[in-house]
């Protein structure tokens, strides 16, 4: 089967490019995962949901995808040099690995609630210390790093003089960087140039997480884990690397330097960066306290929202902007998204209830075009807002067929079958939106029960047993189910 063309905005070349995988039909994708020292906030969720949609879309297009998303459990330092995980352990009086497990579990739970797929591999930095030591050694052997008092630093100046690529991804200029310090190390004076960064750090005696190495007891620099784990699971050069755009510099820039410095190759052909979720116009961030947790949003227990919103309404809100645009979380936007999401779910039910008998095909073209448009937009750098707009074209058609404004008999069996198959697939398989309202997610069971109840109501009406017919309708209405009598029978929706 031929796979549809896909275009991606590549942060490395700053151009929208036609995607060509290294091995036809296969994709290796690496996404920087969370640092598990506290609960994820909604900004993190936006980034991981965006990459989930990309993963889903690539699978739907027919690619075999190996999706690697790591867990950062060592080396990501705070200002002042303390490891984030160690700080969590200190504050919560837990073992560092207890902190890691606790917040990894929490992260997984949130990702499930948002109906995202699990990655193919979820490697942890602490499980790859040996490989990280090996990469440090390779970089040293190649002459792009130096040892100072038990720590190993990447020599950015020498690397850039020879390779001329440092700063390509982030657009930073090495001359400016030479006067800038940009890591959280205490011992800045050990570096030859301020722009150099530690790939292995000597541990103080009271440091919690440390390992033996050829340079003494220490721990790996944060950027190293992603260079090592992407190479290990996807090869020296793979297809797609992603992360939030706040990781472009220094994290991704240094990752590229480490890969080129060790094996001589650019790690990824396409770099994709998601933009930030804002609240009140400012980046949502743990360190600034400008966050809202998923739970606060679901329960409405936050001064930022007037009520609680369901996970799928929140996800729909996120999908209504392109992953590379900033997105401001506001109550009004969430209210509008909640309505849009419900309309989409109702249309699925209406589609399931349409009785089709073809007598012609004069409406085939417009139905097929509306369906084609969805994937065209998704293949244009995963343009979810446009793709959703084209789904609403389909919603309008479904409602018009249901209400008789468009003649359902004027679509062929083939087009009707395509509509019934692809429309729900676009919503669930590609966009990852599921119907939350239906009997704990068991929509088939509820459909069956409703068919039976509506049959009984029909029978009662046929027998002029108005008491029973009204009792059924009123009982359903108490469960927020509205019964509508339409041209070809009876439909129902949630009110
Ligand atoms: P961290 O756990 O801080 O390493 O972040 C995990 C991921 O969430 C990274 O890819 C970040 O770029 C991303 N991220 C952090 N804050 C936001 C935000 N406000 N909006 C979108 N993504 C974010
Ligand atoms: Zn990373």
């Amino acid at each position: 089967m031929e796979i549809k063309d896909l275009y991606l905005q590549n942060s490395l070349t700053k151009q929208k490019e036609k995607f060509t995988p290294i091995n036809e039909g296969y994709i290796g994708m690496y996404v920087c995962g969370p640092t598990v020292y506290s609960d994820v906030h909604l900004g993190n969720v936006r980034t991981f949901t965006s990459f989930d949609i990309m993963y889903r879309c690539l699978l739907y297009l027919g690619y075999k995808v190996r999706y690697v998303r790591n867990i950062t459990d060592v080396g990501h330092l705070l200002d002042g040099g303390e490891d984030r995980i160690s700080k969590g352990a200190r504050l919560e009086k837990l073992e560092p690995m207890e902190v890691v497990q606790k917040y990894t579990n929490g992260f997984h739970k949130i990702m499930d609630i948002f109906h995202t797929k699990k990655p193919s591999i979820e490697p942890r930095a602490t499980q790859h210390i040996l490989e990280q030591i090996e990469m440090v050694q390779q970089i040293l052997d190649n002459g792009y790093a130096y040892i100072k008092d038990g720590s190993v630093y990447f020599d950015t100046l020498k690397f850039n003089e020879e390779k001329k690529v440092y700063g390509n991804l982030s657009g930073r200029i090495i001359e400016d960087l030479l006067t800038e310090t940009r890591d959280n190390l205490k011992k800045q004076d050990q570096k030859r140039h301020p722009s150099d960064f530690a790939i292995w750090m000597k541990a103080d005696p009271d440091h919690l997480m440390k390992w033996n190495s050829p340079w003494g007891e220490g721990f790996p620099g944060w950027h190293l884990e992603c260079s090592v784990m992407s190479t290990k699971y996807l090869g020296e050069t793979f297809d797609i690397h992603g992360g939030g755009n706040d990781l472009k510099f220094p994290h991704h820039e240094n990752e590229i330097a480490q890969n080129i410095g060790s094996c001589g190759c650019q790690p990824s052909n396409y770099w994709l960066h998601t933009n930030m979720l804002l609240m009140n116009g400012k980046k949502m961030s743990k360190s600034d306290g400008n966050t809202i947790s998923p739970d606060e949003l679901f329960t409405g227990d936050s001064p930022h929202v007037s009520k609680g919103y369901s996970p799928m309404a929140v996800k729909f809100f996120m999908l209504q902007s392109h992953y590379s645009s900033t997105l401001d979380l506001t109550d009004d936007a969430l209210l509008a998204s909640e309505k849009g999401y419900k309309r989409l779910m109702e249309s699925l039910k209406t589609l399931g209830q349409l009785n089709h008998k073809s007598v012609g095909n004069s409406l085939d073209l417009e139905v097929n075009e509306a369906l084609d448009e969805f994937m065209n937009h998704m293949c244009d750098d995963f343009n979810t807002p446009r793709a959703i707009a084209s789904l609403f074209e389909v919603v309008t058609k479904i409602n018009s067929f249901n209400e008789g404004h468009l003649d359902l008999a004027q679509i062929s069996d083939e087009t009707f079958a395509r509509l019934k198959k692809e429309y729900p697939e676009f919503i669930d398989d590609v966009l990852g939106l599921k119907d939350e309202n239906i009997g704990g997610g068991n929509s088939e069971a509820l459909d069956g029960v409703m068919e039976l109840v509506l049959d009984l109501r029909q029978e009662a009406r046929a027998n002029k047993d108005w008491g029973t017919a009204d009792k059924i309708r009123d009982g359903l209405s108490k469960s927020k189910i509205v019964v509508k009598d339409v041209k070809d029978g009876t439909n129902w929706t949630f009110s």
Side-chain angles (χ1 to χ4, degrees):
M1 189 192 82
E2 199 169 312
I3 298 180
K4 196 172 161 57
D5 286 349
L6 171 69
Y7 292 83
L8 302 178
Q9 180 65 34
N10 190 349
S11 311
L12 191 62
T13 58
K14 292 156 192 72
Q15 278 177 13
K16 198 183 270 183
E17 294 167 0
K18 185 169 166 211
F19 174 70
T20 312
I22 296 167
N23 298 309
E24 206 182 322
Y26 291 83
I27 293 181
M29 174 160 105
Y30 187 92
V31 172
C32 293
T35 308
V36 282
Y37 71 110
S38 63
D39 290 320
V40 281
H41 61 67
L42 226 85
N44 307 130
V45 172
R46 182 194 188 197
T47 283
F48 297 124
T49 302
S50 300
F51 286 110
D52 177 66
I53 306 292
M54 297 179 196
Y55 177 41
R56 286 168 172 277
C57 186
L58 298 173
L59 291 174
Y60 193 77
L61 287 171
Y63 285 106
K64 297 220 170 359
V65 187
R66 181 178 291 167
Y67 173 27
V68 182
R69 188 186 63 206
N70 71 303
I71 294 282
T72 294
D73 59 358
V74 70
H76 194 177
L77 305 185
L78 289 157
D79 289 345
E82 190 173 15
D83 188 295
R84 281 168 158 82
I85 307 293
S86 301
K87 182 179 176 191
R90 185 167 54 76
L91 292 180
E92 298 194 42
K93 299 197 171 37
L94 296 172
E95 273 292 312
M97 282 306 123
E98 262 181 301
V99 172
V100 166
Q101 196 61 54
K102 176 177 170 186
Y103 293 108
T104 302
N105 293 348
F107 170 61
H108 287 160
K109 196 174 134 215
I110 294 295
M111 288 292 97
D112 282 348
I113 290 174
F114 279 99
H115 193 38
T116 62
K117 284 183 177 294
K118 293 182 177 29
S120 330
I121 307 178
E122 195 173 47
R124 275 157 62 162
T126 54
Q127 294 164 342
H128 297 79
I129 299 293
L130 276 181
E131 292 91 332
Q132 294 187 73
I133 290 174
E134 275 169 25
M135 191 175 272
V136 172
Q137 191 59 58
Q138 279 168 357
I139 299 173
L140 276 168
D141 292 347
N142 292 343
Y144 297 122
Y146 53 92
I147 305 165
K148 197 86 199 222
D149 185 28
S151 290
V152 184
Y153 296 97
F154 192 94
D155 189 335
T156 48
L157 197 65
K158 176 155 186 236
F159 174 73
N160 195 55
E161 266 166 17
E162 289 182 21
K163 302 286 181 186
K164 310 251 177 301
V165 292
Y166 195 70
N168 274 4
L169 176 75
S170 59
R172 307 275 177 126
I173 296 165
I174 188 83
E175 284 72 24
D176 295 344
L177 292 174
L178 287 177
T179 56
E180 210 182 278
T181 290
R182 54 197 168 69
D183 56 26
N184 296 323
L185 293 175
K186 281 184 241 164
K187 295 178 182 145
Q188 295 293 341
D189 52 346
Q190 293 187 343
K191 299 198 276 185
R192 285 186 192 157
H193 326 289
S195 57
D196 294 352
F197 56 93
I199 48 182
W200 184 265
M201 281 172 269
K202 179 182 176 173
D204 292 337
D206 58 345
H207 197 93
L208 285 178
M209 290 188 288
K210 53 193 170 194
W211 292 264
N212 280 325
S213 78
W215 317 286
E217 270 201 332
F219 56 98
W222 169 39
H223 319 301
L224 194 63
E225 57 170 290
C226 292
S227 289
V228 161
M229 297 189 286
S230 61
T231 306
K232 172 158 180 174
Y233 297 109
L234 298 172
E236 288 178 342
T237 300
F238 51 95
D239 298 295
I240 298 175
H241 193 311
N245 68 5
D246 57 342
L247 297 186
K248 256 190 205 171
F249 189 86
H251 185 56
H252 291 161
E253 194 71 65
N254 290 352
E255 232 186 285
I256 294 176
Q258 290 165 160
N259 284 76
I260 298 180
S262 58
C263 74
C265 19
Q266 175 67 245
S268 176
N269 287 338
Y270 301 85
W271 285 79
L272 304 183
H273 285 99
T274 53
N275 212 326
M276 294 293 109
L277 181 68
L278 313 178
M279 196 161 61
N280 306 319
K282 266 179 59 202
K283 179 186 165 189
M284 193 173 282
S285 129
K286 265 178 266 199
S287 42
D288 294 347
N290 188 38
T291 56
I292 183 166
S293 73
D295 270 349
E296 285 166 343
L297 198 50
F298 303 154
T299 57
D301 184 16
S302 158
H304 299 291
V305 285
S306 61
K307 63 188 245 352
Y309 294 95
S310 74
M312 289 301 108
V314 175
K315 188 167 181 181
F316 186 85
F317 157 73
M318 291 181 179
L319 296 180
Q320 278 187 309
S321 77
H322 190 254
Y323 74 84
S324 66
S325 312
T326 53
L327 171 63
D328 207 356
L329 185 102
T330 64
D331 198 47
D332 284 349
L334 285 165
L335 277 171
S337 299
E338 187 178 56
K339 277 200 195 125
Y341 162 71
K342 281 190 178 157
R343 241 186 108 208
L344 206 58
M345 290 304 120
E346 269 161 30
S347 70
L348 277 177
K349 195 161 321 96
T350 310
L351 176 63
Q353 292 172 349
L354 290 179
N355 289 314
H356 174 252
K357 202 158 179 27
S358 178
V359 295
N361 62 1
S362 62
L363 295 176
D364 271 21
L365 188 67
E366 40 182 298
V367 171
N368 282 317
E369 270 179 1
L371 291 172
D372 288 344
E373 277 301 287
F374 175 83
M375 273 325 273
N376 289 345
H377 289 309
M378 286 306 288
C379 287
D380 180 15
D381 195 28
F382 310 110
N383 197 326
T384 53
R386 292 216 170 142
I388 287 179
S390 59
L391 282 188
F392 277 106
E393 298 280 318
V394 183
V395 172
T396 308
K397 295 216 160 23
I398 291 173
N399 290 340
S400 303
F401 287 135
N402 186 41
E403 286 153 16
H405 306 310
L406 278 179
D407 187 2
L408 185 62
Q410 279 304 326
I411 56 175
S412 64
D413 286 342
E414 196 190 351
T415 299
F416 189 64
R418 180 180 176 206
L419 178 66
K420 291 264 281 198
K421 178 178 181 294
E422 290 187 11
Y423 182 68
E425 283 175 354
F426 292 165
I427 294 174
D428 192 332
D429 297 357
V430 182
L431 295 181
L433 291 167
K434 64 176 179 185
D435 197 341
E436 292 168 319
N437 279 320
I438 294 178
N442 191 347
S443 66
E444 267 178 38
L446 188 66
D447 282 346
V449 171
M450 282 305 297
E451 205 178 309
L452 178 70
V453 172
L454 293 180
D455 263 4
L456 290 173
R457 178 170 171 266
Q458 211 49 43
E459 250 175 60
R461 281 160 57 111
N463 296 332
K464 300 203 169 21
D465 177 1
W466 307 119
T468 305
D470 288 351
K471 193 172 168 188
I472 293 176
R473 196 200 48 218
D474 295 346
L476 290 174
S477 141
K478 273 192 201 136
S479 304
K480 297 206 167 7
I481 290 176
V482 192
V483 175
K484 279 190 209 158
D485 293 307
V486 292
K487 212 172 76 185
D488 298 320
T490 312
N491 272 355
W492 62 276
T493 54
F494 286 104
S495 56

